Amino acid sequence: MANQSDVQAEAAIRAHHRELHDELRVRVLGLEEEVRGSRAYDDTRDAVLTYLDGELLPHAAAEEVALYPAGDTGASELLVRAMREEHRNLIAQVEGLRTARDGIAAVTKASAILALFESHLAKDNDLLVPALLADPGVSLAALLGGMHELVG
């Protein structure tokens, strides 16, 4: 049975994930709106990239340092390996957005990033975090100590 600190850590992770998702989604939809309206999209693409570079990718890196080592063995080992691969895919997609040559390519890349992130969050929230919470040898609260990038 998880202690109160671990339950609070789980809630903080989930809340931060919702915030990351909502903020990314707003920016991606803004980019799509600009491109659909045949307006200049550079500023909105830059806003997506700034968010990815300043928030989402640092969050992914923090997960790999704080959470993933705890899930790197046993039943969750393959899940963690797949989630690390998704992080590499996210980085590649961000680079694709950075070098997109036109608005359609930018929206396509940004939408792919959002879809990949949504899938990744489902694994985080529905598989990895509950597995770590259920593991009596793991303390989510201890893993998150000082990890602002994971919990906002």
Side-chain angles (χ1 to χ4, degrees):
M1 172 117 186
N3 66 40
Q4 188 62 27
S5 296
D6 290 339
V7 171
Q8 289 172 339
E10 177 192 28
I13 290 170
R14 288 176 183 274
H16 189 58
H17 284 166
R18 270 191 308 279
E19 178 185 317
L20 288 169
H21 172 260
D22 292 348
E23 291 292 328
L24 178 61
R25 186 173 182 277
V26 164
R27 286 166 176 79
V28 171
L29 290 176
L31 175 60
E32 182 180 333
E33 185 178 312
E34 292 299 306
V35 171
R36 280 184 190 262
S38 299
R39 294 182 292 273
Y41 64 91
D42 290 345
D43 288 347
T44 53
R45 181 197 56 213
D46 292 348
V48 173
L49 286 167
T50 297
Y51 189 74
L52 291 166
D53 291 336
E55 296 292 332
L56 197 139
L57 293 180
H59 174 84
E63 281 184 336
E64 291 198 21
V65 170
L67 290 182
Y68 289 6
D72 235 350
T73 60
S76 59
E77 180 181 6
L78 292 176
L79 173 63
V80 169
R81 187 182 311 163
M83 294 176 76
R84 281 191 174 108
E85 185 59 34
E86 285 178 339
H87 285 173
R88 287 189 288 278
N89 190 354
L90 275 169
I91 291 166
Q93 294 295 328
V94 170
E95 289 311 307
L97 174 59
R98 201 178 310 283
T99 60
R101 294 183 183 195
D102 58 41
I104 298 297
V107 168
T108 300
K109 286 295 183 185
S111 296
I113 291 165
L114 179 59
L116 178 57
F117 187 59
E118 289 170 342
S119 173
H120 185 79
L121 285 183
K123 289 179 190 77
D124 257 337
N125 290 339
D126 300 338
L127 300 173
L128 182 60
V129 171
L132 295 176
L133 189 62
D135 186 336
V138 173
S139 167
L140 276 181
L143 292 176
L144 298 183
M147 298 301 295
H148 170 76
E149 292 85 358
L150 284 177
V151 295

